[in-house]
Amino acid sequence: MGDNVKLYNSLTRCVEDFVSIDPKIVKMYTCGPTVYGYAHIGNLRTYIFEDVLQKGLEYLGYDVKRCMNITDVGHLTSDSDTGEDKMEKGARLEGKTVYEIADFYTKAFFQDLELLNIKKPAIIAKASEHIDTYIQMIEKMIRDGYAYFSNGNVYFDISKAHHYYQLSGKNPDELMIGARDSVEEDQSKKNQADFVLWFTLSKFENHIMKWDSPWGVGYPGWHIECSGIASKYLGEYLDIHCGGIDNIFPHHTNEIAQSEAYFGHKWCNYWCHGAHLNDQSGKMSKSKGDTLTLSKLQSEGYSPLVYRYFCLNSHYRSQLVFRKEAMDIAAHSLTKLRNKVTKLDQSGKLLDEQFQFYVLKFKEAFSHDINTSQMLTIVYDVLKDGDLNDLTKYQLIKDFDRVLSLNLTVEMDEVINDEINQEILEKIEQRNQAKKDKDFLLADKIRDELLSKGIQLIDTREGTTYEIMD
Ligand code: AMP
Ligand code: ZN
């Protein structure tokens, strides 16, 4: 089963054949949200990619055991070990308790997942509820010489890790420079790039979420939560670990170091990272503040599944720039697609051989490093295939929608944003004027500009209209 699935592995920087440790079960860990604010649509792009990965593997017949954490403690405002805890900062800004903040944004996150047809991982674990697991791991790492207590904190000694630089591809000098640039030399650390496993009160006096530990009252570092939760629920070996590309360093690099130190062997075989969604000004990030959330998108007239369709149109490893024009095209295409599917006549007999032929093609597209745009193309190929009857087309698309999850068999109109519609009409007006002025160069330029955005102008005797291309 699934012998020919190929996945890009960030660890080896190659597309590799995927082979799970247990031939039937895939153990998959995906880093969850930091719940001090709403997820932005960039975060959600990563969860969509992970959802397709899980469902694609299930489509191939694997049983996917997936675990996700909820970061409700320990992630500081800086990726190095400095700054305020993100949760505490969120609570301070909103005048609520950390627990209220965590609870509110965790619920909001699950609501987003539901709206995007993202399957909830079978195991969801809050970082704050697994303190004993981290303490027990840290104790063992200290015993085995991988970690040390110094000046109030417990650190991981990166010089003891076997392949510390493999995942990030960074070199030790780069890391040293990075560490020196960002904070003044920390005398407590053996190596400047050592990271904290456990913080104690001595450093963070006002911290609200804190627990007793052998090293004093304090709280865990950010990275240990994922190693702890993954090991508790998925055991000593992982098949796949996912996250956004920004997680490669330091988060996943440190997860590998801790887990391999703790277990004494290689921990996870495949590391899959999704590229970022950018806005016009660059990477979308929670800390930048004014980011696009799913509910903002909805208030602008886009349904969550249009966003899912927009994401599936590009490969998960390619950066994607959020553009409203592209969302309008996605809205239009999805409506058209659903209209075609729901109009299919469902009487008659299923053509088994053709059905299997397309299922294979769909599986191949997924197996080729999750080629979602090709998976969508196959949906269109099915609709166009004159040798298929309607029932077979319908059943195929319904089957593919187990992975695509776009509600393709449900009749729904996606509203095209009026503002954008207005913009196109204005461009048409400008082009008409240019033609009247005999400025054909400008007229053609306007037409080509629209065409490059997937908007085709149609000149008729009654005037110019437009069509958004599939
Ligand atoms: P956070 O809640 O900030 O910890 O992030 C949750 C997930 O979203 C992580 O897997 C991040 O790597 C990922 N992520 C963060 N920013 C982006 C972005 N702009 N595009 C795609 N994924 C992102
Ligand atoms: Zn993580």
Side-chain angles (χ1 to χ4, degrees), residues 296-314:
K296 248 193 211 168
L297 268 194
Q298 283 179 290
S299 69
E300 291 182 14
Y302 300 109
S303 88
L305 292 185
V306 166
Y307 180 62
R308 186 174 172 112
Y309 183 89
F310 166 79
C311 289
L312 296 189
N313 264 300
S314 61

Side-chain angles (χ1 to χ4, degrees), residues 357-387:
F357 170 79
Y358 276 107
V359 165
L360 194 66
K361 279 185 119 211
F362 189 75
K363 284 182 177 175
E364 276 169 6
F366 169 77
S367 302
H368 196 81
D369 196 23
I370 326 177
N371 191 343
T372 46
S373 63
Q374 180 61 21
M375 289 153 83
L376 284 173
T377 301
I378 292 166
V379 172
Y380 287 101
D381 288 347
V382 164
L383 282 171
K384 275 189 289 195
D385 189 336
D387 291 336

Side-chain angles (χ1 to χ4, degrees), residues 29-32 69 71 222-223 225-227 241-242 247 251-252 255:
Y29 187 85
T30 52
C31 289
N69 64 301
T71 303
W222 168 36
H223 317 296
E225 70 175 86
C226 287
S227 291
H241 194 312
C242 301
N247 279 162
H251 187 46
H252 291 166
E255 275 190 49

Side-chain angles (χ1 to χ4, degrees), residues 133-183:
T133 308
Y134 318 141
I135 290 178
Q136 179 252 322
M137 282 181 90
I138 297 169
E139 280 182 313
K140 181 169 189 296
M141 283 190 273
I142 293 176
R143 272 201 310 276
D144 293 349
Y146 288 100
Y148 60 96
F149 179 75
S150 170
N151 208 14
N153 291 335
V154 181
Y155 293 94
F156 185 91
D157 181 348
I158 63 150
S159 69
K160 300 282 168 58
H162 300 298
H163 314 283
Y164 191 68
Y165 304 98
Q166 188 182 354
L167 182 70
S168 69
K170 288 182 187 290
N171 63 52
D173 290 343
E174 244 180 290
L175 267 195
M176 291 315 294
I177 293 164
R180 261 188 252 121
D181 278 355
S182 54
V183 267

Side-chain angles (χ1 to χ4, degrees), residues 48-279:
I48 291 171
F49 131 67
E50 293 166 352
D51 184 58
V52 174
L53 175 54
Q54 169 171 4
K55 287 177 180 160
L57 290 169
E58 285 169 349
Y59 190 82
L60 293 174
Y62 287 104
D63 180 6
V64 178
K65 195 170 176 197
R66 178 171 167 200
C67 177
M68 180 192 269
N69 64 301
I70 302 287
T71 303
D72 58 357
V73 64
H75 191 175
L76 304 184
T77 45
S78 143
D79 265 353
S80 58
D81 298 320
T82 57
E84 196 176 358
D85 184 289
K86 287 185 173 179
M87 293 299 307
E88 304 248 346
K89 186 177 174 197
R92 185 168 51 73
L93 292 178
E94 294 195 28
K96 294 185 179 141
T97 71
V98 264
Y99 294 98
E100 280 168 347
I101 290 282
D103 195 49
F104 178 83
Y105 289 111
T106 303
K107 283 193 183 120
F109 173 71
F110 288 128
Q111 215 168 6
D112 285 349
L113 293 195
E114 205 177 307
L115 288 167
L116 287 164
N117 279 349
I118 293 173
K119 183 172 172 173
K120 224 170 157 180
I123 305 153
I124 292 177
K126 289 185 187 172
S128 61
E129 290 176 357
H130 295 79
I131 303 296
D132 289 351
T133 308
Y134 318 141
I135 290 178
Q136 179 252 322
M137 282 181 90
I138 297 169
E139 280 182 313
K140 181 169 189 296
M141 283 190 273
I142 293 176
R143 272 201 310 276
D144 293 349
Y146 288 100
Y148 60 96
F149 179 75
S150 170
N151 208 14
N153 291 335
V154 181
Y155 293 94
F156 185 91
D157 181 348
I158 63 150
S159 69
K160 300 282 168 58
H162 300 298
H163 314 283
Y164 191 68
Y165 304 98
Q166 188 182 354
L167 182 70
S168 69
K170 288 182 187 290
N171 63 52
D173 290 343
E174 244 180 290
L175 267 195
M176 291 315 294
I177 293 164
R180 261 188 252 121
D181 278 355
S182 54
V183 267
E184 76 240 39
E185 193 126 328
D186 187 339
Q187 299 299 332
S188 323
K189 295 181 178 183
K190 288 187 183 170
N191 315 285
Q192 283 309 298
D194 287 353
F195 57 93
V196 180
L197 296 168
W198 187 268
F199 292 95
T200 77
L201 254 191
S202 61
K203 212 169 174 185
F204 297 97
E205 282 167 33
N206 301 322
H207 209 84
I208 298 159
M209 281 179 152
K210 54 195 175 196
W211 296 266
D212 237 340
S213 85
W215 316 284
V217 176
Y219 66 99
W222 168 36
H223 317 296
I224 191 72
E225 70 175 86
C226 287
S227 291
I229 288 170
S231 70
K232 173 160 181 180
Y233 295 103
L234 299 175
E236 283 192 38
Y237 295 94
L238 283 185
D239 290 302
I240 302 178
H241 194 312
C242 301
I245 199 133
D246 58 308
N247 279 162
I248 288 183
F249 188 84
H251 187 46
H252 291 166
T253 298
N254 292 350
E255 275 190 49
I256 295 175
Q258 300 159 154
S259 298
E260 299 198 347
Y262 178 69
F263 290 123
H265 56 68
K266 186 173 179 184
W267 176 46
C268 174
N269 289 332
Y270 301 88
W271 287 84
C272 300
H273 292 101
H276 277 160
L277 177 83
N278 294 339
D279 53 26

